[in-house]
Amino acid sequence: MSLVNEPMHKTEVRKKYCRFKKSGIKYIDYKDAGFLLKFVNDQGKLLPRRLTGTSLKFQKKVAQAVKRARHIALMPYLADGMK
């Protein structure tokens, strides 16, 4: 134990990036359920922006696409058999 106030583990802080801006994606297809599952956790909830690094504009589009996919039964509302 050190007496100096230093962090115990030094880790690199990575800059978060929006994968949609980086790839140049403008439209998020709600029919691609496999892609949308990357933004949903094991319980079926949407992952927040702070975890995915998505910008606000595209996070809203992802949320809308997931809602549409759930509505037409491409994705489940509950997490019984998701991943």
Side-chain angles (χ1 to χ4, degrees):
M1 190 168 141
S2 69
L3 297 175
V4 182
N5 290 332
E6 294 180 8
M8 296 299 287
H9 301 285
K10 293 183 180 182
T11 58
E12 287 186 28
V13 178
R14 290 185 185 176
K15 174 99 171 111
K16 291 185 183 177
Y17 64 93
C18 179
R19 71 175 74 189
F20 300 106
K21 286 183 181 179
K22 187 174 183 181
S23 302
I25 298 173
K26 294 187 179 180
Y27 177 73
I28 300 172
D29 190 15
Y30 66 91
K31 294 173 287 236
D32 189 4
F35 178 70
L36 293 176
L37 282 177
K38 295 177 185 176
F39 300 97
V40 177
N41 67 6
D42 295 335
Q43 295 176 336
K45 296 180 180 180
L46 283 171
L47 290 173
R49 288 179 53 212
R50 61 184 166 84
L51 294 181
T52 60
T54 320
S55 66
L56 178 64
K57 175 182 174 181
F58 286 104
Q59 180 71 17
K60 289 179 181 180
K61 289 183 179 185
V62 165
Q64 186 65 39
V66 168
K67 289 175 187 177
R68 287 178 179 169
R70 285 176 175 164
H71 185 71
I72 61 173
L74 294 175
M75 289 178 64
Y77 281 97
L78 301 177
D80 290 337
M82 285 194 52
K83 294 185 180 178

